Amino acid sequence: MRERHLVAWRIGGEQGQGIDSTGEMLATVCNRLGYYIYGYRHFSSRIKGGHSNYKIRISTEPVLSTSSDTDVLVAIDQETIDRNHHELVPGSIVIADARFSPQLPEGCPARLLPVPLTQIAQDLGDAVMRNTVSLGVSAYLLGLPLQEFEKALQERFAKRPELAEKNVAVLRAGYEYAQEHLPRLEWTLAPGDGKARLIMMGNDAVALGAVAAGCRFCAAYPITPASEIMENMMAILPRFGGVVVQAEDEIAAISACIGAGFAGARALTATAGPGISLMQEAIGLAHAAEIPLVIVDTQRGGPSTGMPTKQEQSDLFAILFGSHGDTTRIALAPSTVEEAFYDTVTAFNLADKYQCPVFLVSDLSLALNKQTVEQLDLSRVTIDRGLLLTDEEIAAQAEEDGFRRYRITESGISPRPLPGQPKGQYLATGVEHNEFGKVSEDPRNRVAMMDKRWRKIPQDPRQMGLQGIKYSGPANPDVLLVGIGSTFGPIDDARKALSARGFSVGHAHVRVLAPLPVAELSELMAKATHVVVVEHNQQGQLLQLIEYKVGKALREQGVDLPMMHSVRKYDGTPFLPAEIVARAQEVIRYAEAS
């Protein structure tokens, strides 16, 4: 029997039928067996009803993207087959509930395996457990040990042992039915390495990173796909003496965080596009008053309510240029769940060091899709509170000519006190102010304070100790693929596929949106013949940003921009590696022929 090292499994049905929880169960068990997992959830914004499916890629090697093929499709209804049959490849199977008399479309290369999922579940307890029957069938066909599923079910229903017992019974019944009635597959899943790893989504990692960084205040308003960050913080933060506030809206949430940041607590708010819009005025206040906080934007399909449960990266301009007046920005862009953890820690350190709001730029795929993560290295977590004044330092300043909270310094960073320190009181305001914090519209003061706030943020991520670009590929590639956020996995897979076809391809992933790593990008782009920017929005926001900033830098060096191409997707679905390969080949061939 042939061993497979990568298998794509998908389950589909009506939203509210336990599709997510079934996928979660399989992902958990496979992770415990030492497989690498990438899970992609397709769901609508409705609480119940409408088609929903969950695809899990199970691999013996790291995997960071979804794919255009499916090997095992579990269909709870006919719509699942109708919607997903185009992904079925030769040798694939469809495990379908016999209840709805499933049919494969003509020409479909898969083998249909009708199984009485509902009947088995009804006979042993309740029809709603049909999904658990399908897990038993899947376990048999994939060659996975049933004991691990039983253990996972008992843990999941630990507070309701009678429910655990019923689920284990139907799981075994599904396994035994498959053993007795279904043919063995022509392939089997190669065994995992058994190593213990974590499995989580980006929202989990952000919450854990915030707690590890010393965040003790979170205020947010529920919004997809950010809500899990607040929910995780509610579960974790009280154990460490922290507070979580579910605010009445995003304006209240960020305002509360500004207050907490002023008081010295590390504060976080998490939202999505519409929430970022509501926060813009308060973001300006935090800049003017020089108060640290961290803002997470889990981008989704916009504008307005748009497609709240679908993938998009269309908030880049809002993050970089939103708000009012002249403000500088710091915006980190993790590309994997693991990076989301460490970048969150870094965001808090930067917020304290530069006394300003710091953005953590996520997107729906990164926020909600589960990935295997190596054990987190807490020794990498360091906490830098920036320039905090001691009581003695404040007293010494006060004896001179008064305490200057917003002292003009060469670096632009003014050492700060915390409320309650003797003689350290000052006015924190969004109105223009002088070094003491007193309102001032003096033209010379205005220029000095604007320049101070501008000067304190470096213009190159390397000056902040940040990796601006994550690069892989040859030193002098003909084609340079550029992306941001969750497109890392699909682009990386596309680079490998294009390289295998004879293209010289590099992959530069932007890890810091602001300040943009202009020097690093310039160096890479100057060596490439074609630059292909891959992003999830209609306007090509990342492409425009690069053309504006990197193009200017290259022109100043007397170097022309290489041929710029754009691969954009804004239909709500994540990139597939094959799509990037096809589009990259298309634009390169067109450019070379013209």
Side-chain angles (χ1 to χ4, degrees), residues 76-153:
I76 303 301
D77 55 20
Q78 182 62 40
E79 187 178 2
T80 298
I81 298 175
D82 296 340
R83 281 177 173 264
N84 299 286
H85 69 85
H86 64 281
E87 288 196 352
L88 294 166
V89 295
S92 61
I93 57 169
V94 178
I95 303 167
D97 193 346
R99 172 185 56 87
F100 63 86
S101 302
Q103 299 289 323
L104 288 183
E106 189 176 347
C108 180
R111 183 166 38 160
L112 180 63
L113 302 177
V115 177
L117 302 177
T118 299
Q119 189 62 53
I120 292 172
Q122 274 179 335
D123 291 346
L124 292 174
D126 194 321
V128 298
M129 293 189 290
R130 63 173 76 85
N131 295 357
T132 307
V133 182
S134 77
L135 282 177
V137 176
S138 297
Y140 171 76
L141 292 173
L142 294 174
L144 300 172
L146 198 62
Q147 296 79 1
E148 288 296 332
F149 288 88
E150 293 175 357
K151 186 178 171 186
L153 284 169

Side-chain angles (χ1 to χ4, degrees), residues 454-500:
W454 190 270
R455 187 167 64 241
K456 69 179 180 178
I457 310 279
Q459 295 305 300
D460 188 325
R462 291 176 295 193
Q463 295 173 301
M464 306 163 80
L466 302 176
Q467 178 193 26
I469 295 291
K470 184 164 63 173
Y471 180 76
S472 50
N476 298 290
D478 292 333
V479 181
L480 183 66
L481 301 174
V482 181
I484 190 170
S486 67
T487 59
F488 177 80
I491 296 177
D492 194 53
D493 286 347
R495 178 187 67 80
K496 292 170 183 170
L498 286 164
S499 299

Side-chain angles (χ1 to χ4, degrees), residues 276 279-285 287 295 315-332 350 354 356-359 361 453-454 456-461 464 466 512-516 549:
I276 288 292
M279 291 178 178
Q280 294 293 352
E281 183 179 356
I283 291 169
L285 168 61
H287 273 286
I295 305 166
D315 293 347
L316 302 190
F317 287 170
I319 291 167
L320 298 178
F321 307 118
S323 195
H324 45 281
D326 287 333
T327 57
T328 54
R329 297 290 164 97
I330 299 175
L332 309 183
L350 294 174
Y354 297 105
C356 65
V358 171
F359 288 88
V361 185
R453 291 192 291 265
W454 190 270
K456 69 179 180 178
I457 310 279
Q459 295 305 300
D460 188 325
M464 306 163 80
L466 302 176
V512 181
L513 257 179
L516 193 71
K549 294 215 168 185

Side-chain angles (χ1 to χ4, degrees), residues 206-207 209-210 213-220 229 233 253-258 260-261 265-271 276 279 283 286 291-297 330-332 334 340-353 355-361:
V206 169
C215 173
R216 293 297 179 264
F217 183 82
C218 171
I229 295 175
M233 296 291 274
I254 190 170
S255 299
C257 287
I258 290 172
R266 287 194 152 183
L268 172 142
T269 186
T271 187
I276 288 292
M279 291 178 178
I283 291 169
I291 295 174
L293 76 150
V294 173
I295 305 166
V296 185
D297 181 15
I330 299 175
L332 309 183
F341 173 83
Y342 295 112
D343 282 5
T344 303
V345 176
T346 302
F348 279 100
N349 286 342
L350 294 174
D352 272 349
K353 182 174 182 179
Q355 300 173 24
C356 65
V358 171
F359 288 88
L360 195 69
V361 185

Side-chain angles (χ1 to χ4, degrees), residues 141-337:
L141 292 173
L142 294 174
L144 300 172
L146 198 62
Q147 296 79 1
E148 288 296 332
F149 288 88
E150 293 175 357
K151 186 178 171 186
L153 284 169
Q154 285 159 350
E155 290 173 4
R156 181 177 172 191
F157 297 109
K159 293 181 179 176
R160 300 186 63 187
E162 75 287 356
L163 211 50
E165 191 178 330
K166 285 183 179 178
N167 273 277
V168 168
V170 298
L171 173 82
R172 288 175 182 164
Y175 188 94
E176 288 163 4
Y177 180 91
Q179 201 171 28
E180 187 176 345
H181 297 92
L182 301 185
R184 296 296 301 190
L185 302 182
E186 298 167 353
W187 49 266
T188 186
L189 184 60
D193 62 12
K195 285 182 64 175
R197 300 182 183 89
L198 303 171
I199 181 168
M200 64 175 80
M201 56 186 178
N203 282 350
D204 299 330
V206 169
L208 289 173
V211 175
C215 173
R216 293 297 179 264
F217 183 82
C218 171
Y221 181 75
I223 185 170
T224 302
S227 297
E228 286 85 354
I229 295 175
M230 181 175 65
E231 290 165 7
N232 280 324
M233 296 291 274
M234 284 177 172
I236 303 171
L237 208 51
R239 300 183 212 165
F240 298 90
V243 174
V244 180
V245 174
Q246 180 175 323
E248 63 265 38
D249 57 34
E250 286 84 352
I251 299 172
I254 190 170
S255 299
C257 287
I258 290 172
F262 169 75
R266 287 194 152 183
L268 172 142
T269 186
T271 187
I276 288 292
S277 300
L278 288 172
M279 291 178 178
Q280 294 293 352
E281 183 179 356
I283 291 169
L285 168 61
H287 273 286
E290 302 192 51
I291 295 174
L293 76 150
V294 173
I295 305 166
V296 185
D297 181 15
T298 55
Q299 301 172 88
R300 66 186 200 182
S304 188
T305 305
M307 299 201 296
T309 61
K310 298 295 180 286
Q311 165 69 4
E312 203 159 279
Q313 297 174 324
S314 53
D315 293 347
L316 302 190
F317 287 170
I319 291 167
L320 298 178
F321 307 118
S323 195
H324 45 281
D326 287 333
T327 57
T328 54
R329 297 290 164 97
I330 299 175
L332 309 183
S335 63
T336 65
V337 169

